[in-house]
Amino acid sequence: MKIESIHDKSFREYGEIVEGYDLTDLLNKLSETTECPADRVIYVPSDAGLEALPVFEELQNGLFGGLPIQIGYCNGSNTKLNCLEYHRGSELNVPVEDMVLLLAKRDELDKDLKIHTDKVKAFSVPAGTAVLLYETSMHYAPARKEGGFRVIIGLPRGTNTEKPEIKIRNLEDKLLWANNKWLIAHKDTQEAKDGAYVGLEGKNIDIA
């Protein structure tokens, strides 16, 4: 598929490039203290070492306007779309290595909360570049054609932690997969086998 740049005008519908913050210590800490598996993806919602850095408070008070946030990471190897998720609130992504984000807009979900994978767009993110994905942008794990990636993930505090117990009142409630995480899976994924809502139609995208 065509991979566009986050510097292209088309990315503005999905997010924005974050400037003005020195994220060097954050990226160095991630590189020095976390593993990067070659055969899977790992995700840690909140990392005490990353959150102890001075830039954590700067991002919380500045970029997120004082809302309580968490900073964790998503590391590993992946070339596929597999799923799409969304949150109430924007998400910060800062990669150590070049990566690709596979994104779709929530307003393109149909009445059954399904979407065809031909609606998904790919955007390249250069190493060290901070991007803020809007609440209206669906996404999942980063992707990279070759080699692994390490990515800083900043979100409202509590996101992607244990799923709350709720009464199912509507279709969207069936998508709730974790705290502040609504998930749509492709049928050919482990998430679908584990009970996630199957709403991704078409071919599972593989940038490799």
Side-chain angles (χ1 to χ4, degrees), residues 61 76 121 129 179 200:
N61 291 336
K121 289 190 175 183
T129 304
N179 198 42
L200 271 178

Side-chain angles (χ1 to χ4, degrees), residues 1 78-85 101-104 115-121 138-143 183-186 189 191 200-208:
M1 68 185 305
N78 175 58
T79 61
K80 294 183 177 182
L81 173 62
N82 292 325
C83 300
L84 287 170
E85 68 178 2
L101 290 174
L102 297 167
L103 307 174
I115 187 171
H116 199 281
T117 57
D118 62 9
K119 297 286 188 181
V120 175
K121 289 190 175 183
M138 298 187 294
H139 55 279
Y140 202 46
L183 183 72
I184 299 170
H186 190 274
T189 61
E191 289 87 346
L200 271 178
E201 300 177 326
K203 184 179 180 181
N204 188 12
I205 294 171
D206 189 338
I207 65 168

Side-chain angles (χ1 to χ4, degrees), residues 140-198:
Y140 202 46
R144 196 162 189 244
K145 286 186 177 182
E146 296 180 357
F149 53 77
R150 291 181 175 87
V151 185
I152 293 290
I153 306 290
L155 280 160
R157 175 67 66 179
T159 299
N160 288 324
T161 55
E162 185 177 358
K163 176 185 173 181
E165 293 297 326
I166 64 169
K167 177 182 178 181
I168 301 299
R169 294 177 171 85
N170 52 54
L171 182 56
E172 188 185 40
D173 285 349
K174 295 182 179 180
L175 275 59
L176 190 63
W177 191 248
N179 198 42
N180 193 27
K181 175 188 180 115
W182 289 263
L183 183 72
I184 299 170
H186 190 274
K187 63 181 179 62
D188 299 327
T189 61
Q190 185 59 49
E191 289 87 346
K193 294 176 183 176
D194 291 340
Y197 182 81
V198 177

Side-chain angles (χ1 to χ4, degrees), residues 29-42:
K29 187 76 169 180
L30 182 67
S31 298
E32 295 167 2
T33 63
T34 63
E35 64 173 316
C36 183
D39 59 348
R40 67 190 191 283
V41 174
I42 58 173

Side-chain angles (χ1 to χ4, degrees), residues 42-62:
I42 58 173
Y43 172 69
V44 174
S46 176
D47 181 87
L50 298 174
E51 294 176 357
L53 298 172
V55 72
F56 171 77
E57 188 172 345
E58 295 173 8
L59 291 167
Q60 179 169 258
N61 291 336

